[in-house]
Amino acid sequence: MATGQKLMRAIRVFEFGGPEVLKLQSNVAVPVPKGHQVLIKVHACGVNPVETYIRSGTYSRKPTLPYTPGTDVAGVIESVGDGVSAFKKGDRVFCSSTVSGGYAEFAVAADHTVYALPEKLDFRQGAALGIPYFTACRALFHSARARAGESVLVHGASGGVGLATCQIARAHGLKVLGTAGSEEGKKLVLQNGAHEVFDHKEANYIDKIKQSVGDKGVDVVVEMLANVNLNNDLKLLSRGGRVIVVGCRGSIEMNPRDTMGKETSIIGVSLFSSTKEEFQQFAGILQAGMEKGWVKPVIGSEYPLEKAVQAHEDIIHRSGKTGKMILLLR
């Protein structure tokens, strides 16, 4: 995959471990696209919590060492491999996966994971689309089978996936409730599709949600921190309601009886389980949203490539995060 000629800066991981294993190297060979692949000149790359789990070696998917992290890049097509007809050099694009890794100045991606980036979105916003927006689509439409007229609680709504879920759910006719842990976060959640927002740092916020939804309960909970919130989620559900687990950072003790009376479900989400056809379906939803203007990624913290270690520390340990964390390459 390497040319041995052009060199670039990239983050490389040679061993699994803490954030300190992210090593910035300036002599990494620029990859060459093979058949049905494109080479993207990366302007920005999204940072996602899953990348910290993969880096630590605790995730179910372990890449072959050494590797470059990152999937969600936005930039400009630099070159295309054989058999690529949908893109040409100079096209503005974003992608939902890379072959060579996104924390780098150039990245190779399969052409079916690459999508046109409209002029109305900048490269930072393009880099915020991949995992957050495709995960939100999978959670709402594949896992929850959410329908217009239902209600959804986005538990942890001020981060990248949460805000994406609020925007998509509102555009598809759901009643949207969200939680956040700061005044800034609550304001963002309301600005991005939620009808109501609750402060999940308040001791009695669950009671306030119960008052809002009444006896019926909420049809869908999209849950970002299941090891903390799952028991409360089950008590908030309507008959036949579904908790969709998007994020979890540990174990929790629960009583399965809490699912029985109302015949509720707990369903996990793994974006990486999506088929090529499902990715195309989610991309269609998002392309429509970009055209109509309701897909509008909110950018949070921004870091240069050399601060990738700091980004990985902050995405896990900084509470009250708002918006999408981005690495800037240019």
Side-chain angles (χ1 to χ4, degrees):
M1 195 179 226
T3 64
Q5 297 162 2
K6 292 183 182 175
L7 299 177
M8 66 176 182
R9 295 187 312 141
I11 297 293
R12 300 291 281 162
V13 175
F14 294 89
E15 60 179 326
F16 297 114
E20 68 280 357
V21 303
L22 299 171
K23 303 296 183 186
L24 177 61
Q25 299 200 313
S26 56
N27 60 347
V28 180
V30 173
V32 175
K34 297 177 181 173
H36 296 285
Q37 293 181 344
V38 301
L39 179 66
I40 301 169
K41 186 177 187 178
V42 179
H43 284 247
C45 181
V47 180
N48 296 288
V50 70
E51 287 141 29
T52 70
Y53 311 148
I54 294 169
R55 182 215 67 227
S56 69
T58 59
Y59 197 64
S60 54
R61 288 169 63 245
K62 282 195 179 72
T64 304
L65 296 169
Y67 78 98
T68 294
T71 56
D72 300 354
V73 307
V76 175
I77 298 287
E78 180 73 7
S79 62
V80 301
D82 292 341
V84 176
S85 58
F87 301 101
K88 63 183 185 307
K89 182 178 170 66
D91 287 351
R92 298 172 87 251
V93 295
F94 72 95
C95 71
S96 57
S97 181
T98 66
V99 175
S100 59
Y103 295 11
E105 291 179 320
F106 292 89
V108 160
D111 60 356
H112 67 85
T113 67
V114 179
Y115 313 94
L117 181 65
E119 290 290 341
K120 63 175 73 170
L121 297 185
D122 62 29
F123 290 118
R124 298 173 312 147
Q125 291 175 303
L129 288 168
I131 282 181
Y133 279 81
F134 283 82
T135 297
C137 284
R138 187 166 184 83
L140 285 170
F141 303 122
H142 177 273
S143 303
R145 309 230 182 275
R147 299 180 298 278
E150 288 192 313
S151 57
V152 58
L153 169 66
V154 185
H155 212 157
S158 62
V161 179
L163 292 170
T165 306
C166 289
Q167 291 174 7
I168 296 166
R170 180 67 177 255
H172 285 81
L174 282 91
K175 181 182 180 185
V176 184
L177 313 177
T179 77
S182 68
E183 286 305 314
E184 180 196 5
K186 286 162 63 181
K187 197 157 96 177
L188 261 183
V189 171
L190 284 174
Q191 288 169 346
N192 284 277
H195 294 85
E196 288 184 75
V197 67
F198 303 87
D199 187 337
H200 54 223
K201 289 186 175 172
E202 284 184 8
N204 64 338
Y205 83 98
I206 294 294
D207 292 332
K208 290 184 176 179
I209 296 173
K210 284 180 180 174
Q211 286 173 11
S212 173
V213 299
D215 293 338
K216 180 182 185 300
V218 68
D219 297 305
V220 176
V221 178
V222 177
E223 179 54 64
M224 308 302 169
L225 198 61
N227 53 298
V228 172
N229 298 322
L230 185 58
N231 283 313
N232 281 329
D233 292 339
L234 291 172
K235 293 179 174 69
L236 289 169
L237 287 179
S238 64
R239 182 165 297 280
R242 298 82 81 195
V243 176
I244 309 302
V245 178
V246 170
C248 184
R249 294 181 182 170
S251 58
I252 185 171
E253 185 173 318
M254 61 162 289
N255 186 346
R257 184 175 291 279
D258 290 340
T259 67
M260 295 167 64
K262 293 183 179 178
E263 295 190 325
T264 55
S265 309
I266 304 166
I267 304 168
V269 175
S270 171
L271 178 61
F272 302 119
S273 298
S274 304
T275 64
K276 194 187 291 190
E277 291 72 28
E278 286 166 344
F279 267 107
Q280 294 302 323
Q281 176 197 343
F282 305 150
I285 292 168
L286 299 179
Q287 293 286 2
M290 286 185 274
E291 287 170 15
K292 291 178 178 174
W294 54 257
V295 166
K296 42 182 191 289
V298 177
I299 306 305
S301 307
E302 300 176 15
Y303 301 79
L305 188 60
E306 55 268 24
K307 298 281 190 185
V309 170
Q310 187 68 51
H312 269 222
E313 289 173 354
D314 289 350
I315 200 167
I316 294 301
H317 298 299
R318 191 184 289 175
S319 64
K321 295 183 295 292
T322 56
K324 182 74 182 92
M325 186 178 283
I326 298 290
L327 290 177
L328 292 175
L329 279 297
R330 304 182 195 282

